[in-house]
Amino acid sequence: MIEFEDVTKQYPDGTVAVDKLSLRIPSNEITVFVGPSGCGKTTSLRMINRTIERSGGRISIDGEDINSGDPVALRRGIGYVIQHAGLFPHKTVVDNVATVPKLLGWDKKKTRSVAMELLERVGLDLKLAQRYPAQLSGGQQQRVGVARALAADPKIMLMDEPFSAVDPIVRHQLQEELLRLQRDIGKTIVFVTHDIDEAIKLGDNVAVLRVGGKLAQFAPPAELLANPADEFVESFVGQDRGYRALTFLQIGQIELGGLPDDLALDDAGRPIGWRTAAGGQELQPIGPVFTRNDSMRAALDSLLTSPTGQGVCVDENGKAVGVVDHTVVAAAVRSAEALRS
Ligand SMILES: Nc1ncnc2c1ncn2[C@@H]1O[C@H](COP(=O)(O)OP(=O)(O)OP(=O)(O)O)[C@@H](O)[C@H]1O
């Protein structure tokens, strides 16, 4: 656990970037710092690896004050990923990833095999390993940045707006990859973003900061959406928080509608299209389907893009098991709200 106790940062010009911040960052989970520009997210993050020194209060890792040891040793045990990846331009991809292991004096063979394995794990084509950073796309560079941060197998990873400079599609892919990777590696990740959607998607816990580096709320995303602590959090979380909350409502055992006659199935019972009203041979596309393990947001997306207004639920073999329409989603939202209040 990383603990902030009354942590303050005042820059030499008098700016108070962080003001008596207290919070506990649980181990092996993703904690996101989110808030408007200038609210002290980056300052808070960088105080953890002492690339910015705090001016007051205490920060400890597993009970030990981070100021009790050498900052260089502290930094070697903490991975750090920043916007634009911050790769060394004159080093190849594989040499970038090998930077910290080399500093730690690992032998060449082990370093190289760990670097290659990590590049594979973050989803980078190994053919790119000998390229220089400028020869990669922004998204590929970020993957290398993540691999480099993981190279010495640190317990903690600090990520400062790592996906902000890439286009929305690549950003979505990188977020999915991070969640997949985290299921395997279970690091303590502290992630900074100004994007509440990214915070809600990635965070096990989200710390909402307000300008002046004050903590407005620290909670799991579903809790943040359901019970914003005050007007600031409510407006930051946004007007469409009802829609976002669907992400946390599982399909689970909700009652599905029976399979309608106009849903065409193949021999294995998998949906292949909707029969057109004219009764011709041509089928209209199904669009995205969902499973019982998905969220209500996936069901809503499925029915909104379906030509019949019905979203198709499939089992693990892709076999259609039922449909939902908007009344089912609305009823599920109402019953979840009733349970909460
Ligand atoms: N070296 C510095 N000297 C003086 N003030 C600074 C310094 N670095 C940051 N600040 C100020 O401290 C405050 C917090 O900055 P910080 O970069 O931590 O915020 P942030 O929430 O990460 O912002 P952004 O989302 O815009 O990156 C801001 O008012 C900023 O101008």
Side-chain angles (χ1 to χ4, degrees):
M1 181 176 74
I2 307 170
E3 185 165 14
F4 281 61
E5 293 164 89
D6 284 334
V7 174
T8 297
K9 175 64 191 180
Q10 183 166 26
Y11 284 106
D13 69 355
T15 306
V16 178
V18 178
D19 190 15
K20 288 196 182 306
L21 183 64
S22 295
L23 50 85
R24 288 178 174 177
I25 298 169
S27 299
N28 314 113
E29 292 187 356
I30 302 180
T31 296
V32 181
F33 289 172
V34 69
S37 182
C39 70
K41 304 180 292 292
T42 294
T43 303
S44 300
L45 187 82
R46 292 185 54 190
M47 285 192 287
I48 298 173
N49 67 5
R50 296 182 60 190
T51 47
I52 292 178
E53 294 285 4
R54 71 198 186 213
S55 2
R58 182 174 190 266
I59 302 176
S60 57
I61 297 177
D62 296 333
E64 192 177 328
D65 191 323
I66 58 168
N67 279 21
S68 64
D70 168 31
V72 177
L74 175 80
R75 263 167 238 150
R76 283 196 188 145
I78 300 179
Y80 187 35
V81 188
I82 55 172
Q83 204 177 354
H84 300 297
L87 301 175
F88 302 115
H90 56 282
K91 285 188 181 181
T92 61
V93 164
V94 64
D95 285 343
N96 261 282
V97 178
T99 307
V100 177
K102 272 187 187 159
L103 282 172
L104 294 174
W106 293 9
D107 78 61
K108 259 187 164 170
K109 221 170 144 193
K110 178 178 167 197
T111 301
R112 200 187 148 77
S113 75
V114 165
M116 294 305 269
E117 192 190 309
L118 276 167
L119 287 171
E120 205 165 12
R121 272 190 116 167
V122 298
L124 198 85
D125 188 337
L126 292 184
K127 288 201 293 270
L128 305 178
Q130 296 307 329
R131 286 203 188 167
Y132 289 90
Q135 298 169 315
L136 301 182
S137 71
Q140 289 165 341
Q141 288 184 25
Q142 285 309 129
R143 287 173 197 267
V144 179
V146 173
R148 186 177 62 174
L150 286 172
D153 198 20
K155 279 202 294 197
I156 297 171
M157 281 248 284
L158 307 180
M159 306 184 80
D160 192 355
E161 301 259 8
F163 308 147
S164 297
V166 293
D167 71 60
I169 294 174
V170 174
R171 184 172 187 167
H172 173 79
Q173 286 168 353
L174 291 171
Q175 291 167 344
E176 294 293 327
E177 292 276 337
L178 179 66
L179 289 172
R180 184 187 56 74
L181 195 64
Q182 172 68 351
R183 281 195 285 276
D184 288 350
I185 60 178
K187 300 284 180 198
T188 305
I189 297 180
V190 192
F191 191 107
V192 161
T193 180
H194 59 268
D195 175 357
I196 186 70
D197 271 324
E198 186 164 71
I200 284 169
K201 180 168 176 185
L202 297 180
D204 295 298
N205 286 294
V206 177
V208 183
L209 302 180
R210 64 173 99 237
V211 173
K214 287 186 187 301
L215 184 65
Q217 188 166 5
F218 185 79
E223 167 71 14
L224 203 67
L225 292 164
N227 297 310
D230 58 21
E231 273 179 25
F232 168 75
V233 177
E234 188 161 5
S235 70
F236 195 73
V237 164
Q239 291 306 313
D240 50 351
R241 68 189 171 95
Y243 175 62
R244 290 200 181 104
L246 289 176
T247 308
F248 303 100
L249 216 52
Q250 293 302 303
I251 308 283
Q253 293 311 310
I254 67 157
E255 203 169 323
L256 300 168
L259 297 177
D261 289 342
D262 51 354
L263 179 65
L265 306 174
D266 68 9
D267 291 344
R270 291 181 296 237
I272 49 173
W274 292 98
R275 293 192 182 88
T276 54
Q281 291 295 307
E282 206 179 305
L283 293 174
Q284 287 188 274
I286 291 284
V289 295
F290 60 95
T291 71
R292 282 206 181 268
N293 295 326
D294 284 323
S295 70
M296 275 293 173
R297 193 160 162 170
L300 184 64
D301 186 47
S302 175
L303 72 89
L304 286 175
T305 50
S306 159
T308 64
Q310 292 166 300
V312 182
C313 183
V314 298
D315 67 12
E316 61 280 8
N317 300 315
K319 188 175 164 214
V321 291
V323 295
V324 294
D325 64 12
H326 67 278
T327 58
V328 176
V329 178
V333 171
R334 273 199 302 277
S335 63
E337 275 170 0
L339 277 179
R340 266 204 300 269
S341 55

